[in-house]
Amino acid sequence: MTTSTKRLPRRMPGWAKALSAVVLVLVVLFAGIRLSVLPGLKDLFGTETHDRSGPALLKSIQDISRYDAASGNFQVVVDLEKDAKYLPDAVRGTRTLYVGAGTVDAYVDLGKVGEDDVTVDEDRTSATLRLPHAALGEPALDPDRSYAVSKQRGLLDRLGDLFSDNPNGEQAVQQLAVRHIRDAAKESELTARAESNTTDMLEGLLGSLGFKEVKVTYGT
């Protein structure tokens, strides 16, 4: 004669019950915030921004003798990918799609013009000026028009961001955007436009002073 025995259900430990209760409360709280069911909780868990920066200090002043004659607006889409040699992208690797927008100025340095570069006739009606060729300034990224479109990171990179002083840093893509904008400015007609505008400016200025003939040339 055999008798069947019923296996009693295993009781959940007390610590497991407490942990489950805490998790359930957190889920309800965040769900309420997400769905705006509990609007008051948004203020409780919200963040505030405080600017505690010190005053900006003037470090130096430089006299500028250049004439900014033209400015170019550029935009570039940077697609930067970094892969590990023996690991899949899901584990280690990053890919950032970044839109960089900035400006490059073209200028003529009038401070390099010497006495031998300016010739005026005796009647002061004709003038000849020899100026240095126009040059390009450093590209300046516009933070209001530059932004990251997407960021993909592997698991190890995400974990590394938790202990990094600069998580999700965009320095690499910003530097790459500046380099591409600089190259595009060199291939453009920006310096030619700057020299043409400088010539027009000098002809108008000297013309208002009584010069009837003004000749402007560019060279080293």
Side-chain angles (χ1 to χ4, degrees), residues 79-83 93-97 150-154:
D79 188 352
L80 181 61
E81 184 175 1
K82 295 182 179 180
D83 297 325
T94 61
R95 183 176 181 180
T96 304
L97 195 63
S150 65
K151 297 179 182 179
Q152 300 175 7
R153 294 170 293 157

Side-chain angles (χ1 to χ4, degrees), residues 62-75:
Q62 289 180 312
D63 295 329
I64 298 177
S65 58
R66 71 185 196 182
Y67 174 66
D68 289 333
S71 181
N73 295 304
F74 298 87
Q75 187 179 73

Side-chain angles (χ1 to χ4, degrees), residues 30 33 39-50:
F30 286 111
I33 296 174
L41 293 177
K42 184 174 294 186
D43 297 333
L44 180 62
F45 292 95
T47 59
E48 295 182 355
T49 301
H50 301 280

Side-chain angles (χ1 to χ4, degrees), residues 168-190:
N168 304 329
E170 297 177 351
Q171 184 177 6
V173 289
Q174 289 175 350
Q175 291 175 345
L176 197 56
V178 168
R179 191 176 74 185
H180 286 308
I181 290 177
R182 182 185 296 112
D183 293 339
K186 291 179 180 179
E187 297 177 0
S188 69
E189 299 180 355
L190 198 55

